[in-house]
Amino acid sequence: MAAAAPPPPPTPVPEPSMGPSEDSPLGHPIFTRIRLATASDVPHIHKMIHQMAVFERLTHLFSATESSLTSTLFSPTAKPFYSFTVFLLEVSPNPFTDYVITDPSFTPLVKVINLDLPIEDPEKESFTTNPVHDISVAGFVLFFPNYSTFLAKPGFYVEDLFVRECYRRKGFGKMLLSTVAKQAVKMGYGRVEWVVLDWNMNAIKFYEEMGAKILQEWRVCRLTGDALEAYGTTD
Amino acid sequence: MAAAAPPPPPTPVPEPSMGPSEDSPLGHPIFTRIRLATASDVPHIHKMIHQMAVFERLTHLFSATESSLTSTLFSPTAKPFYSFTVFLLEVSPNPFTDYVITDPSFTPLVKVINLDLPIEDPEKESFTTNPVHDISVAGFVLFFPNYSTFLAKPGFYVEDLFVRECYRRKGFGKMLLSTVAKQAVKMGYGRVEWVVLDWNMNAIKFYEEMGAKILQEWRVCRLTGDALEAYGTTD
């Protein structure tokens, strides 16, 4: 495909107006949907986690397989919002008319966004969830309950927030994170928390604008690998 | 009790030797037990969380009640180790011979410790779980599963580790944290994580000696209160 001669560019045809003025630029609508991921989404989730590891230059720490993700994220007893939960962001050039099995605990959120420029997705084929309806995965957020003893309330901890490269800087990350925040409010939860690298000023600014506080004094402690395994054999 | 004249010190009587040498000092044995907490332990847990808030000078953030702790920590569907979990540390001057309802998922851990000096517990009456057998609560650890996408494995996040004042600096904190680490290894989990204040050098040294790494670059982000509530009403 990449080596084939590109087709001639189509003659620009003005689209019918949906805005208040006939003259207003319409941009390029993209239909978005946020829904609960299921086990059948694991191949896409696995690819995105790998891309995240590449982006963070941490592929040496990456050992997830599709099978290990399926058994740990989608075990039969795991209940969305009460255990590990994945929201998937899907996009399509068309309105969503496909049939999606909806978990009673979450109604998919559909929104149409007008972009100035169309998005060229070079990896679209690898991330298609429904080729007939031209639907692909653009990102995901993985979160799970945490707990505050002072509030005596659960909250959500966001482990991963990822938007595929060609979909970045369009508000999709905020859309995913806001959906987690909204779900927390809906369930009466007290907090949404995550971590950020201290040198990632763009991300920090973005989170502060969303209303988050950056806790400067706290450091994460981690017991893992051999140091953790050693506890399995000690008294 | 505190105002009464203290009894005359007992004449030192050498206890029968249990060690390799007849001359070795035996100290003061204290029997310890780590077990899963149940809803009936909430009054003690609530008091300890309050003491922790006082110690951290954060009582203005403390809003937990016994009832809110019971409904959030011990809901009928919450399964130990798969949701919020509390290990309770009990101590007694006598071997444990009481009947404890044991959850099939965790067999209580019993250990006898020899201390140089006996512990005077001024609040013993408020923390008794079994007055007949002279058993009281000395501390707790609250933890719950977290998840690493790179490992595709759950882990444990330790939200609170607390040892009552008169029981500190005797290895009980390490005993509670080690029990969580051991449980993680037993379940094939990949990590145990928690947070520490960056100026708390004693705690950092203690955690590093246990084999933990302090992640210096990461900062916790928190969305809470009005800033979180605002998401409940936005599109």
Side-chain angles (χ1 to χ4, degrees), chain A residues 49 52-53 56 58 61-65 68-69 72-73 82 84 111 142 144-154 159-160 174 178 181-182 184-185 189-199 207 210-225 227-229 231-232 234-235, chain B residues 49 52-53 56 58 61-65 68-69 72-73 82 84 111 142 144-154 159-160 174 178 181-182 184-185 189-199 207 210-225 227-229 231-232 234-235:
Chain A
I49 298 170
M52 194 159 52
E56 295 177 348
L58 293 173
L61 298 180
F62 180 82
S63 59
T65 62
S68 62
L69 284 172
T72 53
L73 287 179
Y82 294 91
F84 317 130
K111 216 176 206 175
L142 187 150
F144 47 79
N146 64 5
Y147 190 82
S148 159
T149 31
F150 281 14
L151 303 177
K153 275 186 186 179
E159 176 67 20
D160 282 326
K174 192 177 177 178
S178 302
K182 243 188 266 231
V185 175
Y189 284 11
R191 292 173 180 167
V192 176
E193 293 180 307
W194 61 95
V195 292
V196 68
L197 284 162
D198 64 344
W199 47 259
Y207 295 144
M210 280 187 69
K213 278 188 186 145
I214 317 297
L215 310 186
Q216 296 296 348
E217 287 191 318
W218 294 95
R219 296 293 173 272
V220 177
C221 304
R222 179 179 291 171
L223 193 56
T224 189
L228 175 61
E229 289 300 324
Y231 281 89
T234 55
D235 261 347
Chain B
I49 298 171
M52 194 161 50
E56 295 177 349
L58 294 173
L61 299 179
F62 180 83
S63 59
T65 62
S68 63
L69 286 172
T72 54
L73 288 178
Y82 294 91
F84 316 129
K111 214 176 207 176
L142 186 149
F144 47 79
N146 64 3
Y147 190 82
S148 160
T149 32
F150 281 13
L151 304 176
K153 274 185 188 181
E159 175 67 21
D160 282 324
K174 192 175 178 179
S178 302
K182 243 187 264 228
V185 175
Y189 283 9
R191 293 172 178 168
V192 176
E193 292 180 308
W194 61 94
V195 293
V196 67
L197 284 161
D198 65 344
W199 48 257
Y207 295 143
M210 280 186 70
K213 277 184 187 149
I214 317 297
L215 311 186
Q216 295 296 349
E217 287 192 317
W218 294 95
R219 296 292 173 273
V220 177
C221 305
R222 179 178 292 170
L223 193 56
T224 190
L228 175 60
E229 290 298 326
Y231 282 88
T234 55
D235 259 348

Side-chain angles (χ1 to χ4, degrees), chain B residues 20 56 79 106 199 206:
Chain B
E56 295 177 349
K79 209 176 143 195
F106 185 78
W199 48 257
F206 169 75

Side-chain angles (χ1 to χ4, degrees), chain B residues 73-95:
Chain B
L73 288 178
F74 300 100
S75 76
T77 55
K79 209 176 143 195
F81 308 127
Y82 294 91
S83 181
F84 316 129
T85 307
V86 180
F87 277 150
L88 214 63
L89 170 69
E90 288 173 317
V91 292
S92 174
N94 315 311

Side-chain angles (χ1 to χ4, degrees), chain A residues 74-119:
Chain A
F74 299 101
S75 77
T77 54
K79 209 176 145 197
F81 310 127
Y82 294 91
S83 182
F84 317 130
T85 307
V86 181
F87 276 150
L88 214 62
L89 170 68
E90 288 174 316
V91 292
S92 174
N94 314 311
F96 291 95
T97 55
D98 61 324
Y99 176 73
V100 172
I101 300 166
T102 53
D103 192 291
S105 57
F106 186 75
T107 307
L109 261 174
V110 175
K111 216 176 206 175
V112 57
I113 312 277
N114 274 299
L115 299 171
D116 291 339
L117 294 169
I119 295 170

Side-chain angles (χ1 to χ4, degrees), chain B:
Chain B
M1 287 282 287
T11 313
V13 176
E15 291 168 283
S17 175
M18 290 158 67
S21 155
E22 293 269 324
D23 302 324
S24 66
L26 276 170
H28 300 263
I30 180 168
F31 295 85
T32 69
R33 173 166 66 191
I34 292 176
R35 63 164 171 86
L36 283 171
T38 66
S40 63
D41 297 309
V42 162
H44 294 128
I45 297 170
H46 182 256
K47 267 179 279 183
M48 287 189 284
I49 298 171
H50 187 259
Q51 290 189 348
M52 194 161 50
V54 171
F55 178 77
E56 295 177 349
R57 301 188 185 185
L58 294 173
T59 46
H60 56 289
L61 299 179
F62 180 83
S63 59
T65 62
E66 291 188 11
S67 142
S68 63
L69 286 172
T70 304
S71 63
T72 54
L73 288 178
F74 300 100
S75 76
T77 55
K79 209 176 143 195
F81 308 127
Y82 294 91
S83 181
F84 316 129
T85 307
V86 180
F87 277 150
L88 214 63
L89 170 69
E90 288 173 317
V91 292
S92 174
N94 315 311
F96 291 94
T97 54
D98 60 327
Y99 176 72
V100 171
I101 300 165
T102 54
D103 192 291
S105 57
F106 185 78
T107 307
L109 261 174
V110 174
K111 214 176 207 176
V112 57
I113 311 277
N114 273 300
L115 299 172
D116 292 339
L117 295 169
I119 294 170
E120 286 296 324
D121 184 350
E123 294 181 294
K124 190 171 178 175
E125 276 174 60
S126 315
F127 285 97
T128 297
T129 51
N130 187 324
V132 177
H133 290 79
D134 201 356
I135 302 169
S136 16
V137 174
F140 79 101
V141 59
L142 186 149
F143 59 106
F144 47 79
N146 64 3
Y147 190 82
S148 160
T149 32
F150 281 13
L151 304 176
K153 274 185 188 181
F156 283 135
Y157 182 85
V158 178
E159 175 67 21
D160 282 324
L161 175 66
F162 184 78
V163 174
R164 289 178 48 225
E165 197 172 355
C166 61
Y167 295 101
R168 290 181 198 155
R169 288 168 294 278
K170 299 179 193 339
F172 293 143
K174 192 175 178 179
M175 205 190 280
L176 281 165
L177 199 49
S178 302
T179 309
V180 178
K182 243 187 264 228
Q183 182 66 27
V185 175
K186 191 179 159 193
M187 296 176 76
Y189 283 9
R191 293 172 178 168
V192 176
E193 292 180 308
W194 61 94
V195 293
V196 67
L197 284 161
D198 65 344
W199 48 257
N200 195 346
M201 294 317 292
N202 281 339
I204 289 173
K205 189 166 169 273
F206 169 75
Y207 295 143
E208 284 181 333
E209 282 170 4
M210 280 186 70
K213 277 184 187 149
I214 317 297
L215 311 186
Q216 295 296 349
E217 287 192 317
W218 294 95
R219 296 292 173 273
V220 177
C221 305
R222 179 178 292 170
L223 193 56
T224 190
D226 294 342
L228 175 60
E229 290 298 326
Y231 282 88
T233 52
T234 55
D235 259 348

